[in-house]
Amino acid sequence: GILLAMPTKIYTMHVSQPARAVAWACAYEGCQVEEVQIMPGKDTQTKDYRSKNPIGAVPRLEEDGFVLNESHAIMCYLGDKFGWKLYPADPHVRARIHQYMNWHHQNTRRITLALFAPVMRPDIAIPKDLVAMWKKEITSPKGTLSSIEQWLSGSKWLCGDQPTVADLSCYCEIGQCGDSYTGLFSIHGIDLTAYPRICEWLKECEKLEGYEKSHALLKKLGPGIKNKAT
């Protein structure tokens, strides 16, 4: 008989921003994966889950004994393996993608940690003074949104003239805070119209294949999150 390769499993939960980015990238590329829905903070902390990789989080990729955490690592791995359009082989584009991904964790990711996590993940218990500091950084003159605005003023997408995994990753932290989802920017007095290129780019991202599918759960939960945050 023919030996069929084990399907690529992705442990996920689409309310998680990094997990949503991976789901979107797979949908965009038509990459067949088996999604396993689990609860972050609970199922990710079991002895069994952590025994395979000490990173107790989603998303996680499992493939025939190969276990990989971290959304950026997963997207780069799948992009490499399947020749994704979202992960072009051009060395300069790749370098810019990796630059963004390295920068993301201490910048764009903090939008979620400052605005979204206190409402949805009280189990993380982030100190209030840290949340206040991160919130300030989002809109400071040399802060996160200003930096993204500058990149987008130099090119149509974050890393050049084509969308890449960097755009998806970035959108998943910013887009969720808009009025069509959780309204967290408005609730916290952050005015995105001060960043016209970001506003245009958000609309362009929303036209990309896989956007609707990957954001369906967030759309459903958005009003509840909005109520909880006000």
Side-chain angles (χ1 to χ4, degrees):
I2 299 164
L3 275 177
L4 289 173
M6 293 280 289
T8 301
K9 257 187 199 165
I10 305 274
Y11 291 88
T12 187
M13 167 52 69
H14 290 188
V15 179
S16 151
Q17 301 75 19
R20 195 161 62 241
V22 170
W24 187 358
C26 288
Y28 180 94
E29 297 285 351
C31 185
Q32 296 298 311
V33 294
E34 182 194 330
E35 286 198 338
V36 183
Q37 304 292 329
I38 64 170
M39 189 51 79
K42 188 172 159 239
D43 301 332
T44 54
Q45 297 308 314
T46 63
K47 198 174 167 195
D48 179 56
Y49 194 80
R50 291 184 69 101
S51 70
K52 294 178 183 174
N53 190 324
I55 303 174
V58 291
R60 170 179 289 181
L61 174 145
E62 267 188 32
E63 208 178 61
D64 219 5
F66 176 63
V67 180
L68 187 67
N69 265 74
E70 293 295 319
S71 64
H72 293 162
I74 292 168
M75 290 192 288
C76 292
Y77 166 70
L78 291 173
D80 245 344
K81 187 174 176 176
F82 297 112
W84 278 6
K85 295 188 290 292
L86 290 171
Y87 192 54
D90 179 288
H92 281 179
V93 179
R94 280 216 176 166
R96 283 180 70 178
I97 291 171
H98 297 159
Q99 168 186 257
Y100 173 78
M101 286 175 161
N102 283 294
W103 179 85
H104 174 98
H105 298 289
Q106 299 287 351
N107 294 278
T108 323
R109 184 68 182 144
R110 287 182 176 171
I111 294 173
T112 289
L113 295 175
L115 309 183
F116 190 90
V119 185
M120 292 302 284
R121 291 292 303 274
D123 57 300
I124 299 175
I126 305 164
K128 281 191 165 59
D129 56 342
L130 208 50
V131 169
M133 185 180 86
W134 289 342
K135 202 177 130 180
K136 246 210 291 279
E137 278 177 6
I138 297 170
T139 54
S140 73
K142 290 178 184 164
T144 299
L145 293 176
S146 292
S147 301
I148 294 167
E149 182 75 7
Q150 185 177 330
W151 276 320
L152 291 170
S153 299
S155 53
K156 186 181 176 186
W157 300 91
L158 276 176
C159 301
D161 56 8
Q162 298 291 323
T164 68
V165 288
D167 295 282
L168 273 51
S169 180
C170 186
Y171 178 95
C172 286
E173 311 285 337
I174 296 175
Q176 64 177 358
C177 298
D179 289 338
S180 57
Y181 289 109
T182 64
L184 285 166
F185 282 145
S186 296
I187 290 164
H188 290 275
I190 294 169
D191 180 13
L192 268 198
T193 61
Y195 308 94
R197 274 299 293 125
I198 290 178
C199 293
E200 287 169 15
W201 166 82
L202 289 169
K203 288 196 189 87
E204 289 301 312
C205 288
E206 288 161 11
K207 294 175 192 166
L208 297 175
E209 189 67 44
Y211 163 72
E212 296 289 346
K213 188 182 172 195
S214 57
H215 283 73
L217 183 61
L218 183 67
K219 196 142 245 166
K220 205 167 98 183
L221 298 180
I225 298 169
K226 203 178 278 192
N227 289 339
K228 233 174 159 180
T230 41

